[in-house]
């Protein structure tokens, strides 16, 4: 039981770290490799900045100065990723409280309910991250395969794959946390009676009393009582 909770918490913690890394990354979409070979420059964009680099290793990033000029799908992805990170933080707190190795949280039944709540929060966090990355990727692929789209086309960046991996880890870890409450209810705690330590002499006496006496009975004649 404890080992399963530790594995689930590791999964969720790694998923939370991946969500934070994906949110802060600027490689949500990158320019097509074909155009990069011709021009020797490439552009990559994230939720917060637009960056450009060349073959000499020079990079220049420009943040989005105003929120009102940012496209709607980018704002939606921002909100979903921030929600995923916040939910993951609260899920980690509830997960630590609900684990059996911690001293806080009350009885085992209460800790199991808290662990189940942490699992639900992690699942919501993973769904938010998954939705954000999928929405952004859908916009990139629709523009890339649209023959009427004449502007710069982009490909999927590394941040999307990091976000998908983190979302999967959060969903898997949260599901394990939720199943841990069912395992806890199916395996009630057993009670053991303590009879106290017995002495060596008493144990020997019990053994001697349990062994039957196999010596034949002695017969005495009348002259033995004279």
């Amino acid at each position: 039981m404890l080992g399963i909770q530790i594995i689930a918490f590791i999964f969720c913690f790694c998923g939370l770290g991946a969500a934070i890394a994906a949110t802060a990354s600027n490689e949500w979409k990158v320019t097509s490799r074909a155009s990069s070979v011709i021009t020797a420059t490439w552009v990559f964009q994230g939720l917060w900045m637009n960056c450009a680099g060349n073959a000499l290793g020079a990079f220049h990033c420009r943040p989005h100065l105003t929120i009102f000029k940012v496209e709607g799908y980018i704002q939606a992805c921002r909100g979903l990723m921030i929600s995923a990170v916040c939910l993951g933080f609260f899920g980690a707190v509830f997960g630590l409280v609900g684990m059996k190795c911690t001293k806080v949280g009350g009885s085992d039944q209460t800790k199991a309910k808290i662990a189940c709540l942490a699992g639900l929060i992690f699942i919501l966090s993973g769904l938010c991250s998954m939705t954000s990355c999928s929405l952004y990727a859908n916009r990139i692929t629709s523009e890339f395969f649209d023959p009427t789209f004449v502007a710069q086309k982009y490909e999927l960046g590394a941040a999307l794959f990091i976000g998908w991996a983190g979302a999967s880890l959060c969903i898997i870890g949260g599901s394990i946390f939720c199943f841990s409450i069912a395992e806890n209810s199916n395996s009630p705690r057993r009670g053991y009676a303590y009879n106290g330590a017995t002495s060596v002499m008493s144990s020997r006496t019990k053994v001697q009393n349990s062994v039957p006496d196999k010596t034949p009975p002695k017969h005495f004649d009348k002259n033995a009582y004279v």
Side-chain angles (χ1 to χ4, degrees):
M1 178 67 180
L2 180 59
I4 295 177
Q5 287 185 344
I6 293 176
I7 294 173
F9 185 79
I10 292 175
F11 277 21
C12 295
F13 190 78
C14 293
L16 176 60
I20 295 174
T23 305
S25 177
N26 295 322
E27 295 187 10
W28 280 64
K29 61 180 179 179
V30 296
T31 52
S32 178
R33 301 300 179 187
S35 61
S36 300
V37 172
I38 297 173
T39 60
T41 60
W42 56 90
V43 178
F44 48 96
Q45 298 182 6
L47 299 178
W48 315 101
M49 290 185 181
N50 298 333
C51 299
N54 54 24
L56 300 177
F59 293 93
H60 176 70
C61 295
R62 179 177 59 86
H64 301 294
L65 298 179
T66 177
I67 192 175
F68 298 105
K69 291 185 179 180
V70 180
E71 299 184 37
Y73 76 97
I74 296 180
Q75 296 181 8
C77 292
R78 282 180 176 180
L80 288 172
M81 292 305 295
I82 293 174
S83 300
V85 173
C86 293
L87 288 172
F89 174 76
F90 288 110
V93 174
F94 284 113
L96 286 175
V97 175
M99 294 180 66
K100 283 191 171 183
C101 59
T102 57
K103 300 296 183 181
V104 294
S107 61
D108 291 343
Q109 290 78 10
T110 305
K111 292 174 77 68
K113 294 179 181 179
I114 296 175
C116 183
L117 176 62
L120 293 176
I121 294 175
F122 274 120
I123 291 175
L124 290 177
S125 175
L127 291 177
C128 289
S129 180
M130 185 77 71
T131 305
S132 176
C133 295
S134 300
L135 177 63
Y136 203 97
N138 180 57
R139 182 61 178 264
I140 296 173
T141 53
S142 61
E143 292 178 353
F144 188 86
F145 292 104
D146 187 4
T148 61
F149 187 77
V150 296
Q152 177 67 53
K153 294 185 177 182
Y154 295 90
E155 294 181 353
L156 303 180
L160 293 176
F161 299 99
I162 295 174
W164 280 324
S168 301
L169 289 176
C170 285
I171 293 174
I172 294 173
S175 302
I176 296 175
F177 264 124
C178 292
F179 286 130
S180 65
I181 186 174
E183 183 178 353
N184 189 25
S185 61
N186 292 333
S187 58
R189 181 179 295 180
R190 297 179 180 179
Y192 297 94
Y194 180 72
N195 297 326
T198 57
S199 61
V200 178
M201 294 299 296
S202 60
S203 61
R204 290 181 178 178
T205 305
K206 292 180 180 179
V207 172
Q208 291 177 359
N209 293 334
S210 60
V211 176
D213 190 7
K214 297 182 179 181
T215 55
K218 296 182 180 180
H219 300 279
F220 299 97
D221 52 3
K222 295 181 180 181
N223 296 327
Y225 295 98
V226 179

